[in-house]
Amino acid sequence: MEYTKKQMTIIEAAEKLFAEKGFEGASVRDIAHEANTNVSMISYYFGSKEKLMEAVFDRRMEGSRAQLEALYYDQSLTTFQKIYALIDAYVGKLTSQPYFNKIWMREQVESQSCVIADKIEGVRERNFAVINRIVKDGQELGEFKHEIDCSLMMALLIGTTNQVLNNAKHYRRKHDLEKMSDDDFRTHLKETLTSYLKTVFKALLTYEA
Amino acid sequence: MEYTKKQMTIIEAAEKLFAEKGFEGASVRDIAHEANTNVSMISYYFGSKEKLMEAVFDRRMEGSRAQLEALYYDQSLTTFQKIYALIDAYVGKLTSQPYFNKIWMREQVESQSCVIADKIEGVRERNFAVINRIVKDGQELGEFKHEIDCSLMMALLIGTTNQVLNNAKHYRRKHDLEKMSDDDFRTHLKETLTSYLKTVFKALLTYEA
DNA sequence: TTGTTTTATTCAAACGTTTGTTTGAACTTT
DNA sequence: AAAGTTCAAACAAACGTTTGAATAAAACAA
């Protein structure tokens, strides 16, 4: 374990407040209070507020690379199943990390910190590479059509998912799901969105306009 | 004209800096400097930094409601053409207002200000209402299929467009368009995205899974 | 037109808070 | 005894906003 319990408490408090108020909006005093600790502990353990943000990012990003690689090399899955598994993985990850998802959205708009921007760029690059290889495989096997823009397809996957999750309230109201419990609604939204995206992707990968 | 030249200069400087640094990240001194004026003019003309942000929003939102209504009532368009026109309008608006688009993205994640959150909610509500009516019309005419989720379709439109525009650099690199001029690239991206979304929407509206 | 009064704008300076970070002594754990 | 941790207090810098005097513009009476 890289971080102690105390450090993880601070990281989680920071994640929550960065998500709710933004990097500039959340003060180190807010974060320390949320983590039930002293202000100076942030500098003591992480060096600075910005380094703390980097720790928040690193914590959520480790492992996702290996997971993606494993998916690509999984022999038991067809190319179509790999794409579907990719959708499941994305929606699952964004759903299970709502705070971090908000931070990511905010920072990708225009990141102040070059370090963070580079991390985001790295993840984008790796994701694209995997999608690209899966799609190419599928095309060579004759399962997918020829004209597929992986950049736009990836943007559709991430953009739609984020938009839905950030406007979950709107969706809930429009579908009269307000009596449903929060947990049930989250599960329902996740399943609906996943199957929606799979339908869209099937069309994108096979339907000749 | 509601605002004087001087006030518009401040609003535009604010729009730029709020987009680049976020609401908390951009100081009133930054904004005043960008607008070549004194710090106190912001309080003098707008009352506060937050009211200035509201002015930035109001300026970009007026007129969009009427435009959307006009589109719906346009008798010369088929329902399909209306959907396509909607896509054109969206992509066009988001492309032509890159600064405001970034602000919108940031604020919709979790707006600090209730006033801004209400403005965003209002726009979402109106957009949804128009899409919903167009889709219902198309279904009654037998042009669209029955099972269409307007919430998800709207999320796909807005989410994908924003994701593409915010990652335009990535798209440009992946498609080897870096020798193209900025203007040409913008036009190219806009056209590619528009036609991509139209294809997706055609599938969403007619393709039975 | 004239001079005068009123209103609107501009600006440097200052206001009181809050910001991220550091300090140095006290306290725990090795 | 040594190293690691905690905390209230203090640090300078930056924050949004206000002030009050100086200037410009507009309105008005002669």
Side-chain angles (χ1 to χ4, degrees):
Chain A
M1 180 157 71
E2 198 172 348
Y3 294 112
T4 65
K5 269 185 193 172
K6 188 100 199 172
Q7 286 169 315
M8 277 308 292
T9 310
I10 296 174
I11 288 179
E12 272 164 9
E15 185 178 70
K16 183 183 174 199
L17 292 179
F18 285 154
E20 286 174 353
K21 306 182 170 195
F23 178 74
E24 318 274 350
S27 76
V28 290
R29 281 172 180 81
D30 288 341
I31 296 167
H33 185 258
E34 176 77 27
N36 288 308
T37 187
N38 190 274
V39 215
S40 61
M41 302 314 289
I42 285 167
S43 299
Y44 179 69
Y45 280 123
F46 300 95
S48 69
K49 188 186 181 185
E50 194 163 291
K51 293 264 181 61
L52 173 57
M53 175 63 116
E54 289 173 29
V56 168
F57 262 77
D58 289 339
R59 180 247 186 149
R60 290 299 187 189
M61 278 169 25
E62 67 187 15
S64 82
R65 174 186 203 144
Q67 188 193 340
L68 217 59
E69 284 290 322
L71 191 154
Y72 177 72
Y73 287 113
D74 189 336
Q75 304 276 2
S76 71
L77 297 176
T78 67
T79 47
F80 240 117
Q81 285 173 325
K82 284 181 184 178
I83 292 285
Y84 284 179
L86 200 79
I87 294 173
D88 286 330
Y90 259 108
V91 178
K93 178 157 276 179
L94 298 189
T95 310
S96 68
Q97 305 174 352
Y99 286 139
F100 184 66
N101 183 24
K102 286 182 180 180
I103 296 176
W104 181 280
M105 287 238 68
R106 271 215 170 91
E107 291 298 313
Q108 81 155 1
V109 170
E110 192 131 347
S111 171
Q112 295 276 67
S113 153
C114 289
V115 188
I116 300 291
D118 287 349
K119 287 185 200 298
I120 291 179
E121 182 54 35
V123 171
R124 255 207 273 278
E125 201 65 35
R126 291 199 297 273
N127 289 346
F128 178 80
V130 170
I131 289 193
N132 208 28
R133 275 150 55 195
I134 297 177
V135 167
K136 282 222 170 354
D137 288 354
Q139 286 173 323
E140 279 169 17
L141 289 167
E143 295 178 17
F144 299 165
K145 66 175 185 178
H146 285 93
E147 300 293 320
I148 295 173
D149 190 315
C150 285
S151 296
L152 294 181
M153 212 172 66
M154 191 167 87
L156 186 146
L157 172 57
I158 302 174
T160 305
T161 306
N162 276 321
Q163 190 70 18
V164 169
L165 296 183
N166 278 313
N167 303 330
K169 263 193 203 163
H170 186 268
Y171 180 91
R172 196 168 185 173
R173 184 157 19 87
K174 287 298 162 201
H175 288 78
D176 274 320
L177 301 173
E178 299 185 284
K179 62 201 162 198
M180 201 181 253
S181 83
D182 284 4
D183 266 358
D184 286 352
F185 170 68
R186 222 189 328 270
T187 308
H188 173 265
L189 185 62
K190 185 173 152 183
E191 280 169 11
T192 310
L193 175 60
T194 304
S195 90
Y196 188 76
L197 285 170
K198 286 179 185 173
T199 311
V200 174
F201 267 63
K202 191 181 174 191
L204 282 174
L205 294 169
T206 63
Y207 182 67
E208 305 274 356
Chain B
M1 179 157 71
E2 196 172 350
Y3 294 113
T4 66
K5 271 185 194 171
K6 188 99 199 172
Q7 286 168 315
M8 278 307 293
T9 310
I10 296 175
I11 287 179
E12 272 164 8
E15 185 178 71
K16 183 184 174 198
L17 293 178
F18 285 155
E20 287 174 352
K21 306 181 169 196
F23 179 73
E24 318 275 350
S27 75
V28 290
R29 283 171 179 81
D30 286 342
I31 295 167
H33 185 258
E34 176 79 28
N36 288 309
T37 187
N38 191 274
V39 214
S40 62
M41 302 315 287
I42 286 167
S43 298
Y44 179 69
Y45 279 124
F46 300 95
S48 69
K49 189 187 181 185
E50 194 163 292
K51 292 265 181 62
L52 173 57
M53 176 62 116
E54 289 173 29
V56 169
F57 262 78
D58 290 339
R59 180 247 185 149
R60 291 298 188 188
M61 278 169 24
E62 65 187 16
S64 81
R65 175 184 203 146
Q67 187 193 341
L68 217 58
E69 285 289 323
L71 192 153
Y72 177 73
Y73 288 111
D74 189 336
Q75 305 275 2
S76 71
L77 297 175
T78 66
T79 48
F80 241 116
Q81 286 173 326
K82 284 182 185 179
I83 292 286
Y84 284 180
L86 200 79
I87 295 173
D88 286 331
Y90 259 109
V91 178
K93 178 158 278 183
L94 297 189
T95 309
S96 69
Q97 305 174 352
Y99 286 139
F100 184 66
N101 183 23
K102 286 182 179 180
I103 296 176
W104 182 280
M105 286 238 69
R106 271 215 171 91
E107 290 297 313
Q108 82 155 0
V109 171
E110 191 132 348
S111 171
Q112 294 278 67
S113 153
C114 289
V115 188
I116 300 291
D118 287 349
K119 288 186 199 297
I120 291 179
E121 182 55 33
V123 171
R124 255 208 274 278
E125 202 64 35
R126 291 199 297 273
N127 290 346
F128 178 80
V130 171
I131 289 193
N132 209 29
R133 275 149 56 194
I134 296 177
V135 167
K136 281 219 170 357
D137 286 356
Q139 287 173 323
E140 280 169 16
L141 288 167
E143 294 177 18
F144 299 165
K145 66 175 186 178
H146 285 94
E147 299 293 322
I148 294 173
D149 190 314
C150 285
S151 296
L152 293 181
M153 212 173 66
M154 192 168 87
L156 187 146
L157 172 57
I158 302 174
T160 305
T161 305
N162 276 321
Q163 190 70 20
V164 168
L165 296 183
N166 278 313
N167 304 328
K169 262 195 205 164
H170 185 270
Y171 180 91
R172 196 169 185 173
R173 182 155 22 85
K174 287 297 163 203
H175 288 79
D176 274 320
L177 300 173
E178 300 185 283
K179 62 202 162 196
M180 201 181 252
S181 82
D182 284 5
D183 266 358
D184 286 352
F185 171 68
R186 224 188 329 268
T187 309
H188 173 265
L189 185 62
K190 186 173 152 182
E191 280 169 11
T192 309
L193 176 60
T194 304
S195 89
Y196 188 77
L197 286 170
K198 286 178 183 172
T199 312
V200 174
F201 266 64
K202 191 180 173 192
L204 283 175
L205 294 169
T206 63
Y207 182 66
E208 305 275 356

